């Protein structure tokens, strides 16, 4: 790689060392405080997740010029604890005249026998590129011979060809690429290499059918989890993240179980996973804005990432996830509530518990109520509120955003997660509220991620409600959450 690549746009390549950009935007009431986002402007997919020399490195799709998608670079941050992050210089910039002149799109990182190797998609057309990292990962050196894969397999009519995901089996390296076969549906293409430089197409790891949503599967992740393998794909355009769990042997993947990874659908997109040194399969996704572009342009920033989560399998075989325990380092003084009877048609405000950055853990006995749940970001007069309800009849958890905001031009559609409670089983909810970001985990692992944009400064309240029968709040703990940036 030539150093000119990195001196071309020196202003943008510098990190926000003084924190000036972050401080300027920190007072924005919609800007998340404990979800990762860049100092300013645009973020989409997390990329190149790797634990290196004991630290977690996060790269991400970033437009350093404006809060809109375009001219995609790789941003870079590092963390010791998955909670607090330090901005580093931008890691990849498009090289004029190079195979990535139109942008450095998503990709991954692997430890290649001690050398950190990064694979990403250069555009246009979509080709696969390689970069290697300096010892501390502060500089990425593009391979002189890029692209390492110059185009899709001959004869395949693909709808996309991007987002390399690389892993090693014995002495062989494999790459899964997000793709789709015209007229057939999404696909993940499997390549093989002995040296990470020369790649040969093997076969499709999996293909969808026209009945499946989406023509292109983006950002594949493929990894073992327990005694099975998991394939994640993000269904374009921004539909949601889908998982397949199954058996994998001799490069053949046979799914046995499948479903949506997060029931916020496009609210949690293009995630990337990482096996850390504690043996955890971590996952971080992108939370796009759900408001008009003009609002993001005015704000000067767009998008954030989810909190890091740990992926596991539930008893019934479904994939589930929960926030990393490290997050509790951000908790302030808790407020605790217990044993509150909920009459039908009433809501009980939880006095003294309010805020735009909270971590809530609730256990509710649904009794014979038809609906039971929480109200968050509620204004005192109820003009704005976001409801989170277990609905017995449809056996689902509903995020009701209809009255989340008095502002025009924000997403209001409800989001629904299937949720079956056995007789006598309480409703367990964990809710991470962070200004415009909301992440919900029901029943210890069913995620639903979305965005809300309350407009009133007094839309801060938390309450419990029941409809159509009696219920009981068994326990609720709520913690104010600190910013990860120390502001
Ligand atoms: N975003 C990247 C692509 C990927 C898409 C471009 C998914 O590589 O397919 O910014 O959000």
């Amino acid at each position: 790689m030539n150093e000119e690549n990195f001196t071309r746009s020196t202003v943008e390549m510098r990190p926000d060392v003084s924190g000036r950009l972050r401080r300027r935007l920190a007072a924005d009431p919609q800007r998340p405080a404990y979800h990762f986002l860049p100092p300013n402007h645009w973020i989409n997919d997390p990329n190149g997740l790797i634990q290196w020399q004991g630290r977690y490195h996060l790269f991400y799709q970033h437009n350093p010029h404006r809060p809109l998608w375009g001219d995609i670079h790789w941003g870079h941050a590092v963390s010791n604890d998955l909670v607090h992050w330090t901005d580093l210089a931008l890691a990849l910039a498009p090289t004029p005249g190079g195979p990535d002149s139109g942008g450095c799109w998503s990709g991954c990182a692997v430890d290649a026998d001690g050398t950190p190797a990064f694979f990403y998609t250069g555009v246009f057309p979509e080709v696969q590129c390689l970069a290697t990292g300096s010892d501390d990962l502060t500089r990425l050196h593009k391979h002189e011979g890029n692209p390492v894969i110059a185009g899709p397999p001959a004869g395949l009519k693909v709808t996309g060809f991007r987002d390399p995901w690389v892993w090693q089996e014995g002495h062989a390296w494999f790459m899964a690429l997000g793709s789709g076969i015209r007229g057939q549906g999404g696909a993940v293409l499997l390549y093989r290499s002995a040296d990470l430089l020369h790649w040969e197409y093997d076969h499709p790891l999996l293909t969808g059918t026209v009945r499946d949503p989406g023509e292109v599967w983006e950002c594949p992740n493929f990894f073992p989890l327990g005694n099975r393998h998991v394939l994640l794909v993000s269904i374009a355009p921004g539909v949601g993240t889908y998982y397949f769990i199954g058996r994998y042997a001799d490069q053949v993947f046979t799914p046995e179980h499948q479903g949506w990874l997060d029931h916020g659908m496009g609210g949690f997109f293009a995630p990337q996973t990482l096996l850390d040194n504690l043996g955890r399969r971590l996952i971080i996704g992108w939370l796009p804005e759900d408001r008009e572009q003009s609002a993001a342009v005015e704000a000067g920033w767009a998008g954030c990432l989810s909190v890091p989560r740990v992926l596991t399998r539930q008893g019934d075989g479904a994939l589930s996830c929960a926030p990393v325990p490290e997050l509790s380092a951000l908790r302030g003084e808790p407020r605790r509530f217990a044993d509150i009877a909920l009459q039908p048609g009433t809501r009980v405000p939880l006095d003294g518990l309010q805020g735009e950055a909270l971590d809530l853990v609730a256990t509710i006995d649904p009794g014979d109520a038809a609906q039971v749940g929480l109200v968050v970001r509620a204004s005192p007069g109820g003009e704005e509120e976001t409801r989170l309800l277990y609905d017995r009849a449809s056996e689902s958890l509903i995020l009701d955003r209809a009255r989340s905001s008095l502002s025009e031009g924000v997403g209001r559609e409800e989001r629904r997660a299937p949720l079956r409670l056995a007789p006598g089983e309480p409703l367990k909810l964990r809710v991470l509220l962070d200004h415009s970001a909301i992440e919900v985990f029901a029943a210890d692992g069913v995620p639903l991620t979305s965005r809300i944009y309350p407009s009133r400064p007094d839309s801060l309240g938390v309450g419990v409600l029941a409809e159509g029968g009696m219920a009981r709040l068994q326990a609720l703990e709520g913690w104010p959450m600190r910013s990860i940036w120390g502001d």
Side-chain angles (χ1 to χ4, degrees):
M1 98 112 211
N2 12 19
E3 289 295 306
E4 304 88 78
N5 297 347
F6 294 98
T7 48
R8 182 179 69 86
S9 50
T10 36
V11 175
E12 300 107 46
M13 299 308 280
R14 255 188 254 132
D16 182 27
V17 259
S18 65
R20 182 180 57 84
L21 295 173
R22 284 196 185 282
R23 275 196 299 280
R24 210 167 62 198
L25 295 176
D28 179 342
Q30 306 300 359
R31 186 166 157 93
Y34 67 92
H35 284 72
F36 179 87
L37 33 59
N40 65 351
H41 297 324
W42 172 269
I43 183 170
N44 57 299
D45 321 345
N47 293 150
L49 286 183
I50 190 167
Q51 209 176 9
W52 193 255
Q53 297 175 348
R55 304 203 295 169
Y56 294 97
H57 286 261
L58 163 70
F59 299 82
Y60 55 90
Q61 296 280 281
H62 180 45
N63 182 346
H65 310 298
R66 49 187 69 88
L68 297 172
W69 184 85
D71 193 25
I72 293 293
H73 291 52
W74 274 33
H76 185 190
V78 66
S79 173
N80 290 321
D81 61 2
L82 287 171
V83 175
H84 302 91
W85 295 90
T86 302
D87 293 310
L88 298 176
L90 297 191
L92 289 174
T95 298
D100 60 8
S101 62
C104 302
W105 285 13
S106 284
C108 66
V110 289
D111 180 347
D113 301 325
T115 301
F118 295 81
F119 290 88
Y120 66 99
T121 298
V123 292
F124 292 98
E126 293 172 16
V127 296
Q128 314 318 322
C129 298
L130 164 67
T132 51
S134 59
D135 198 39
D136 61 358
L137 297 195
T138 57
R139 298 182 82 78
L140 302 196
H141 305 274
K142 293 180 186 176
H143 174 53
E144 302 279 355
N146 276 338
V148 291
I149 303 181
L156 269 194
K157 297 218 175 331
V158 299
T159 51
F161 188 64
R162 55 182 177 269
D163 311 334
W165 171 261
V166 175
W167 71 96
Q168 194 172 23
E169 290 176 35
H171 292 297
W173 291 93
F174 292 90
M175 179 190 289
L177 280 169
S179 187
I181 313 293
R182 201 165 296 286
Q184 278 185 40
V188 172
L189 306 180
L190 184 66
Y191 280 72
R192 173 198 293 264
S193 172
D195 59 4
L196 292 172
L197 295 174
H198 304 90
W199 293 90
E200 264 180 38
Y201 176 58
D202 231 78
H203 59 272
L205 187 62
L206 195 67
T207 49
T209 67
V210 272
R211 285 182 292 112
D212 297 323
E215 280 262 287
V216 189
W217 288 351
E218 298 178 318
C219 301
N221 279 227
F222 188 61
F223 52 87
L225 191 67
N227 58 3
R228 292 289 188 276
H229 265 70
V230 175
L231 176 66
L232 302 180
V233 293
S234 289
I235 297 178
V239 178
T241 308
Y242 208 71
Y243 72 81
F244 300 89
I245 302 180
R247 294 177 188 271
Y248 176 66
D250 302 324
Q251 285 75 58
V252 175
F253 177 54
T254 314
E256 299 169 325
H257 200 110
Q258 63 192 62
W260 294 105
L261 176 64
D262 188 298
H263 301 280
M265 304 304 292
F268 178 89
F269 200 69
Q272 191 163 98
T273 71
L274 163 70
L275 182 69
D276 81 352
N277 62 353
L278 300 174
R280 303 179 296 183
R281 179 57 63 169
L282 303 175
I283 182 166
I284 298 178
W286 166 42
L287 278 55
E289 293 301 311
D290 198 359
R291 54 177 173 173
E292 279 171 2
Q293 249 184 22
S294 56
V297 170
E298 197 174 317
W301 61 275
C304 68
L305 299 185
S306 71
V307 300
R309 305 171 176 182
V310 183
L311 272 181
T312 47
R313 290 189 73 192
Q314 283 179 326
D316 65 358
L319 201 56
S320 71
C321 56
V324 292
E326 285 91 329
L327 214 62
S328 58
L330 298 172
R331 288 173 169 174
E333 281 302 306
R335 304 282 307 190
R336 295 196 172 94
F337 304 83
D339 207 21
I340 299 176
L342 304 170
Q343 306 289 340
T346 59
R347 77 181 43 192
V348 179
L350 298 178
D351 292 332
L353 175 60
Q354 54 172 35
E356 58 272 276
L358 295 173
D359 182 353
L360 307 174
V361 176
T363 309
I364 305 173
D365 172 1
D368 58 4
Q371 292 192 322
V372 65
L374 299 178
V375 187
V376 296
R377 299 302 307 270
S379 61
E383 298 86 349
E384 286 186 331
E385 62 176 26
T386 298
R387 301 191 314 159
L388 191 57
L389 298 172
Y390 168 65
D391 181 58
R392 189 189 299 274
S394 62
E395 295 194 308
S396 51
L397 181 76
I398 301 172
L399 177 69
D400 173 7
R401 301 186 297 164
R403 294 198 298 121
S404 290
S405 175
L406 295 171
S407 302
E408 297 294 316
V410 301
R412 295 179 195 285
E413 312 78 46
E414 73 173 28
R415 295 283 181 255
R416 248 174 214 261
L419 185 64
R420 170 165 298 177
L421 296 183
E425 183 184 349
L427 169 65
K428 292 172 87 179
L429 292 175
R430 169 104 183 255
V431 185
L432 298 177
L433 280 177
D434 188 7
H435 300 257
S436 57
I438 175 167
E439 294 190 62
V440 180
F441 301 88
D444 294 324
V446 179
L448 191 162
T449 304
S450 194
R451 304 295 296 271
I452 52 171
Y453 301 91
S455 66
R456 294 173 55 121
D458 60 354
S459 293
L460 300 171
V462 179
V464 202
L465 64 82
E467 303 281 355
M470 282 287 296
R472 179 169 291 275
L473 174 71
Q474 293 180 342
L476 185 146
E477 274 187 292
W479 295 264
M481 293 291 272
R482 287 183 277 269
S483 158
I484 59 177
W485 308 107
D487 51 34

